[in-house]
Amino acid sequence: MSEKLFNPLEVWFIVGSQHLYGPEALEQVAADARQVAAALDESPQIPIKVQFRPIVTTPDEIHRTCIEANSAENCVGLIAWMHTFSPARMWIAGLTQLKKPLLQLHTQFNRDIPWDTIDMDYMNLHQTAHGGREFGFIGARLRMPRKVVVGHWQDKATLAGIDVWARAASAWHDLHGAKIARFGDNMREVAVTEGNKVSAQVEFGFAVNGYGVGDLVEHVNAASAKQIDDIIAEYKDAYVVAHDLSADGKMHYALRDAAAIEVGLRSFLTDGGFKGFTTTFENLHGLKQLPGLAVQRLMADGYGFGAEGDWKTAALLRAMKVMDQGLAGGTSFMEDYTYHFDPNGMKVLGAHMLEICPSIANGRPTLEVHPLGIGGKADPVRLVFDAPAGPGLNASLIDLGDRFRLLVNTVETVTPDAPLPRLPVARALWKPHPDLKIAAAAWILAGGAHHTGFSQALTVEHLQDFAEMAKTEFVLIDEQTTLFDFKKELRWNDLYYHMTALSGW
């Protein structure tokens, strides 16, 4: 097995057949299945261990495998392949109990038809073409969320499809049992960052709990001089530190305060086993400055984050951080901040007060201190940088009351038209697809939040697969979007989810 990014997690590779074909055929099916599973496991394109399981030929074997997968701590999902014809009624008991994500690999062992030697023995053994349709029918009949990947198991495009699903399955697994710490409450009177935490825990598996800022302040005040010095040494190695923050600079005390906040925040999150957190500038009692640098660096380490109490974005960002491990590009908390309405090239400037992840930095970030203007605290320290040009996306998880909706807009990140010498925050500039007018209108019609998870590492497919696993509505704004069709999609979705709620699907 090659070294995997998601160790010790694994997916189980199960293969269906039946006893109709005799022991010799079943032995060949098992041998072929082991070879395919081993190849997937060894592939550098697959980021997670692929565990071969004995072929299943009876309802009891299938049911037992699904139940074992449910309780296996490190199993994040099943890859099912119908090497031959596997009567789908055998799968009903198992699939109706399966709680883990499912991928149907519609492949066959041999890539090409052996034109000069093919006979009925070959035909009976290589029956994926219709065996997979039988399996597909029962998935449709049971209305199971699942992904179907079609192609030869050695083809790069096939492996890429499995890779995307495995990353989404790992993120889905990671969210179950995850804890999000909410320091303070929601930003006062704001609607979209609120939501039903109980419904979210039922649907996505993560728990959100509130803590007073004083709970964090205890950890901040406990930061030792050595811990602060050690963190500052990391800053000097990683960033271009502004002179006024250097050891002999007039604002060095602000850097030490920021380092103490990072030490304390890390301590709190580590001790509590949290995977994400929120802050708000309206709840800062006892902190000398709004956490900025600490939040940026914790996001770079994989923590989810949401500003102003936005726990949904914190959880979504954590999932996106899990999915993007090892991929080129980065993922960050983001907010659509202001527009460039030039008719020759309309753009969105994305930023936040402080909290943009340096994983999306183009080059080495600069460590600076500037006034914030709101919050009533000391000038906070932050990393300042631009995001590089290239494709990306914004994702928003919103609570519509009767369901959650995952909204995604693809974008093209671009270089700023000119330097931004007086804008002391990290930022990204992009052209939304299909254009700003349609994208903004569609986002508003769909109820999308002003906070998002911004990624230059993930694709739409990653988030589609994740939404499928969560049985969550997925809405896409991309190059093909028209407002006429988009409005119809939203209306159809409203009807669909209303009907599914009534029917209990």
Side-chain angles (χ1 to χ4, degrees):
M1 185 195 75
S2 59
E3 186 64 26
K4 298 296 184 180
L5 283 170
F6 292 97
N7 281 337
L9 302 181
E10 61 188 26
V11 294
W12 286 8
F13 188 80
I14 60 173
V15 177
S17 189
Q18 60 177 319
H19 288 283
L20 175 67
Y21 306 111
E24 185 176 342
L26 289 179
E27 289 176 5
Q28 188 62 53
V29 168
D32 292 348
R34 286 192 187 92
Q35 186 173 335
V36 173
L40 296 180
D41 189 44
E42 291 292 337
S43 171
Q45 280 190 265
I46 308 297
I48 190 169
K49 177 180 173 61
V50 178
Q51 177 67 51
F52 171 76
R53 302 289 295 181
I55 64 170
V56 289
T57 56
T58 68
D60 287 344
E61 290 174 349
I62 294 168
H63 182 261
R64 185 165 55 250
T65 298
C66 291
I67 295 300
E68 290 174 357
N70 287 343
S71 59
E73 183 178 357
N74 291 329
C75 175
V76 305
L78 271 60
I79 298 176
W81 173 36
M82 303 303 110
H83 190 311
T84 62
F85 194 86
S86 179
R89 286 173 57 194
M90 296 196 304
W91 289 85
I92 293 174
L95 293 181
T96 53
Q97 296 298 312
L98 183 63
K99 304 298 182 185
K100 299 291 177 75
L102 175 66
L103 180 146
Q104 180 181 347
L105 179 58
H106 194 56
T107 190
Q108 65 182 31
F109 187 73
N110 291 338
R111 190 193 70 176
D112 302 328
I113 293 175
W115 304 105
D116 57 343
T117 61
I118 187 171
D119 55 18
M120 283 310 300
D121 287 339
Y122 182 96
M123 296 281 277
N124 286 334
L125 189 62
H126 298 84
Q127 292 193 53
T128 290
H130 64 289
R133 292 188 178 194
E134 170 76 355
F135 186 76
F137 165 76
I138 205 61
R141 178 65 176 79
L142 297 175
R143 296 182 174 87
M144 286 194 65
R146 66 215 189 274
K147 181 173 187 175
V148 179
V149 174
V150 180
H152 192 255
W153 51 277
Q154 293 175 317
D155 185 75
K156 288 184 177 180
T158 302
L159 296 173
I162 298 173
D163 163 56
V164 169
W165 173 85
R167 289 175 179 277
S170 298
W172 180 239
H173 178 84
D174 178 81
L175 270 194
H176 281 75
K179 296 191 296 182
I180 307 296
R182 202 173 188 220
F183 296 112
D185 198 5
N186 193 61
M187 185 177 173
R188 296 169 198 140
E189 306 293 350
V190 176
V192 75
T193 50
E194 288 283 16
N196 191 318
K197 302 182 190 69
V198 175
S199 295
Q201 189 166 351
V202 170
E203 187 156 336
F204 298 100
F206 63 85
V208 182
N209 290 296
Y211 297 88
V213 178
D215 296 325
L216 172 58
V217 170
E218 288 183 6
H219 286 257
V220 174
N221 291 342
S224 69
K226 183 180 185 308
Q227 288 175 309
I228 292 173
D229 289 340
D230 289 345
I231 289 285
I232 290 176
E234 292 183 22
Y235 299 163
K236 292 177 181 178
D237 288 340
Y239 317 120
V240 178
V241 180
H243 176 70
D244 56 354
L245 292 174
S246 62
D248 58 351
K250 64 179 181 179
M251 297 295 291
H252 184 67
Y253 71 89
L255 186 63
R256 297 192 67 83
D257 290 342
I261 291 174
E262 179 175 343
V263 171
L265 189 48
R266 285 184 180 275
S267 171
F268 184 97
L269 297 174
T270 300
D271 289 353
F274 296 101
K275 294 180 177 179
F277 64 101
T278 73
T279 62
T280 172
F281 60 84
E282 291 183 322
N283 293 100
L284 294 176
H285 182 72
L287 292 177
K288 294 181 179 178
Q289 56 182 259
L290 175 65
L293 176 60
V295 173
Q296 292 178 292
R297 284 170 50 83
L298 284 161
M299 275 193 287
D301 288 343
Y303 283 92
F305 172 75
E308 290 115 38
D310 189 353
W311 52 269
K312 296 187 295 299
T313 300
L316 174 62
L317 187 64
R318 168 63 184 189
M320 294 171 72
K321 287 285 191 181
V322 171
M323 282 187 265
D324 83 357
Q325 289 184 66
L327 298 177
T331 299
S332 176
F333 173 78
M334 187 60 70
E335 177 175 280
D336 284 37
Y337 223 104
T338 194
Y339 291 140
H340 184 63
F341 267 138
D342 183 344
N344 294 319
M346 296 185 184
K347 306 177 183 73
V348 179
L349 181 60
H352 204 255
M353 293 181 294
L354 304 173
E355 310 97 336
I356 302 299
C357 179
S359 67
I360 65 167
N362 185 18
R364 196 178 185 200
T366 301
L367 186 57
E368 304 176 16
V369 60
H370 299 276
L372 185 59
I374 55 177
K377 291 291 181 177
D379 299 348
V381 180
R382 80 291 303 271
L383 297 173
V384 178
F385 54 83
D386 289 300
L393 58 79
N394 276 298
S396 173
L397 182 64
I398 54 177
D399 185 350
L400 295 175
D402 61 340
R403 67 187 187 277
F404 289 88
R405 170 180 287 163
L406 182 56
L407 177 63
V408 173
N409 182 201
T410 58
V411 305
E412 184 67 25
T413 314
V414 296
T415 302
D417 296 12
L420 302 163
R422 299 186 65 184
L423 184 61
V425 293
R427 59 264 174 164
L429 184 71
W430 64 79
K431 295 179 179 179
H433 294 147
D435 57 49
L436 193 153
K437 287 187 175 182
I438 293 176
W443 191 274
I444 289 169
L445 288 167
H450 51 287
H451 293 162
T452 64
F454 171 83
S455 183
Q456 294 182 301
L458 301 178
T459 66
V460 169
E461 188 179 358
H462 290 97
L463 293 165
Q464 282 179 313
D465 285 357
F466 178 80
E468 190 77 36
M469 293 169 190
K471 301 179 182 179
T472 296
E473 179 188 6
F474 180 88
V475 178
L476 176 64
I477 305 168
D478 65 1
E479 296 95 331
Q480 308 304 317
T481 298
T482 67
L483 290 179
F484 180 76
D485 289 334
F486 191 78
K487 290 177 182 179
K488 288 195 296 184
E489 180 182 358
L490 295 180
R491 295 187 188 107
W492 293 339
N493 287 1
D494 280 340
L495 178 62
Y496 168 79
Y497 283 98
H498 177 69
M499 295 299 294
T500 55
L502 291 177
S503 65
W505 290 351

